[in-house]
Structure formats: C-alpha cells, structure tokens
Amino acid sequence: MVPTLSARGLVKHYGRVTAIDGADFEVYPGEVLAVVGDNGAGKSSLIKALSGALLPEAGEIAVDGEVVHFRGPLDARRYGIETVYQDLALAPAQDIASNMFLAREKRHPGLLGRVFRKVDQAGMRAEAQRVLDELGIAVKSISQPVETLSGGQRQGVAVARAAAFGTKAVIMDEPTAALGVAESGKVLALIDRIRQRGLPVVLISHNMPQVFEIADRIHVHRLGRRVGVVTPRSHTMNQVVGLITGALRIGADGELEEVPAAVRTGLGE
C-alpha cells in the first residue's frame, strides 16, 4: 500500500542544534498514527515540515508516492494536508461557520459574488452544519460565536474544519492537552469518526493511555529521528516508554533489546 503522506531523510538544523536528523515517516489511508517522544525529540519540527510550516534542508516529502515541495502551509493545504495546532487558530468573536471557512470564504453565487465579492453566509452555514452533523459535533447554533463554546466544542470546530478541507491527512498536535476526561473522550471519538471516513489522522500526544486507545500504529521519535514503529497490539506501554527514553531499541531482528547504560550516556559499550 502506498502511504498517503511520507517523508525520507528529513534534516533541519537551528544553528548547532539538530532538530531533525534524517527522519523518516509514513501514514497510510484510514489509520490513526500516533507520534510520541520526549520533549525536545523533534516531533514538532517533523510535523511542521510535513505541514509546510518548516522547510527541511535535506530529504523529501511525498503525497500518494509523488515527491512534493512545500514552500509554506498553503502548499500543504493545496495537497489536502490540514493541521490542527494546540492554539486551534480560531477567531473567538466570529461564529462557527465563519471559523470553519476562515480564509476560505465562499462567494455568493452569481453576479453578487463575482463582481461585488459578497460572501455566501447561508451556504457556509449549511455546509458547516452538514460537516458538524456528519462528525457528531453538537452545538446549539451554527451562528453562535466560538467564544461561547466549551473547550471540547472549540476543539471540535477546529477538527471539523480540518476534516472538511483535508483530503489526504489531518495532523493534530496534542488535541486533548487542555481538556478534561469527558471532553477528551469526545475528541477521541471524533478522531475515530474521521478514520472511519478513510482519512488518516496523525496524532501527536504525550498521553499514553489515549495513544493506546485510539492509535493503529505508534511512531516513536527520539533525538530528531524515528527509532521505531510499533502497534498497541504488539507492544506494551512500558516498552514504548523504553523506546522514548532510549532504555530500549529495536534490534536487527526486529525485536526489542535493552540498551546498555554506557551507550545511553555516550560513554561507549
């Protein structure tokens, strides 16, 4: 199967700091791929490269197996890759429909739209309501300001916007970090519904129980590169934590093995 979104040998430096060190990545249609790693592992830099927000110095990114060159986030969007960052990038004073079509407003059909560039508010609200209904996101009114929504509902609006325009992949950066248990559960259910539509989801998360609940595969990132890909069915949570910290590694035979403490500290075998 050809990956929907993939990368090979990505490299990025910030001065003497290596943020991405020959990183590989791939996500396949209809799966939830969790990207996990310690703080400073390079997860954010990898995701920024995949979403066009960062230009790697080396390596290549491919969509459906064809190499692409992103010069910015708009290029990634044109290829159907949508990203939901932790700040959600919502306009609190505007209504739900306006936020769903933020910077992509629909023009009124006919002369009013072509000549006077009138926005089709009714059309946007109808389309926004359809997407929310399809994803099971409940709100009182599609015309209510986003600032009146709960944290989980705001996350739902941001995710629905990504799902509405994303045709290849949806990337989510810590979508439940600021949410309680109940609202986190709703977001995970929303991710599952996106997966059921055949759209792959890349989930960056530190929450291991949630990762093991929702992910099909787990991409483990350490020191700027991928150190392994495992599944919740084949590996335990402790084993994944071992890969994250460097206590474990995947050997030549594909099995996990302990890393000697001297190797982990850079003192040799």
Side-chain angles (χ1 to χ4, degrees):
M1 183 184 298
V2 177
T4 301
L5 176 64
S6 62
R8 290 289 177 270
L10 296 185
V11 175
K12 179 66 178 180
H13 295 90
Y14 294 102
R16 296 184 179 181
V17 177
T18 302
I20 313 177
D21 188 15
D24 296 334
F25 173 92
E26 63 269 329
V27 63
Y28 293 92
E31 77 164 346
V32 175
L33 175 72
V35 177
V36 300
D38 209 347
N39 291 331
K43 304 186 304 296
S44 295
S45 295
L46 171 66
I47 295 309
K48 287 178 180 178
L50 295 172
S51 61
L54 177 155
L55 300 181
E57 299 159 12
E60 61 182 30
I61 297 172
V63 176
D64 287 339
E66 295 186 8
V67 176
V68 296
H69 300 281
F70 297 153
R71 293 166 297 178
L74 289 180
D75 286 341
R77 284 184 173 183
R78 291 188 186 101
Y79 279 95
I81 300 166
E82 291 287 330
T83 305
V84 181
Y85 294 104
Q86 289 189 51
D87 63 5
L88 303 183
L90 297 175
Q94 295 191 33
D95 63 24
I96 295 172
S98 296
N99 272 277
M100 290 274 289
F101 286 88
L102 200 62
R104 285 181 276 209
E105 290 80 5
K106 295 180 65 174
R107 298 296 179 190
H108 198 282
L111 188 64
L112 290 176
R114 291 197 307 270
V115 178
F116 298 102
R117 303 175 64 83
K118 183 178 180 181
V119 174
D120 184 8
Q121 291 286 359
M124 290 194 303
R125 288 176 178 173
E127 179 66 15
Q129 187 65 65
R130 183 192 67 77
V131 175
L132 294 182
D133 290 344
E134 184 178 315
L135 294 174
I137 301 172
V139 295
K140 290 181 180 179
S141 170
I142 199 70
S143 60
Q144 70 183 106
V146 163
E147 61 190 1
T148 65
L149 302 176
S150 68
Q153 288 174 318
R154 294 186 191 195
Q155 186 69 252
V157 170
V159 173
R161 179 176 61 192
F165 294 99
T167 58
K168 296 300 180 183
V170 173
I171 301 172
M172 299 186 190
D173 187 6
E174 299 282 0
T176 63
L179 303 180
V181 174
E183 290 194 323
S184 293
K186 292 179 181 178
V187 172
L188 293 181
L190 178 57
I191 292 172
D192 184 48
R193 284 192 285 273
I194 294 174
R195 169 173 53 189
Q196 291 174 13
R197 297 171 66 190
L199 188 62
V201 177
V202 180
L203 172 67
I204 300 90
S205 179
H206 284 93
N207 192 313
M208 282 299 162
Q210 291 181 2
V211 165
F212 271 72
E213 177 182 348
I214 194 68
D216 297 295
R217 295 188 304 136
I218 303 171
H219 167 123
V220 184
H221 215 68
R222 175 173 164 77
L223 300 178
R225 64 172 61 190
R226 181 175 67 187
V227 296
V229 179
V230 300
T231 73
R233 296 178 300 279
S234 62
H235 293 76
T236 68
M237 204 175 298
N238 285 338
Q239 288 174 325
V240 172
V241 171
L243 286 170
I244 290 173
T245 60
L248 297 175
R249 65 188 175 192
I250 298 178
D253 58 358
E255 298 296 324
L256 290 181
E257 59 185 30
E258 290 190 15
V259 178
V263 174
R264 275 183 269 158
T265 56
L267 298 178
E269 292 287 347

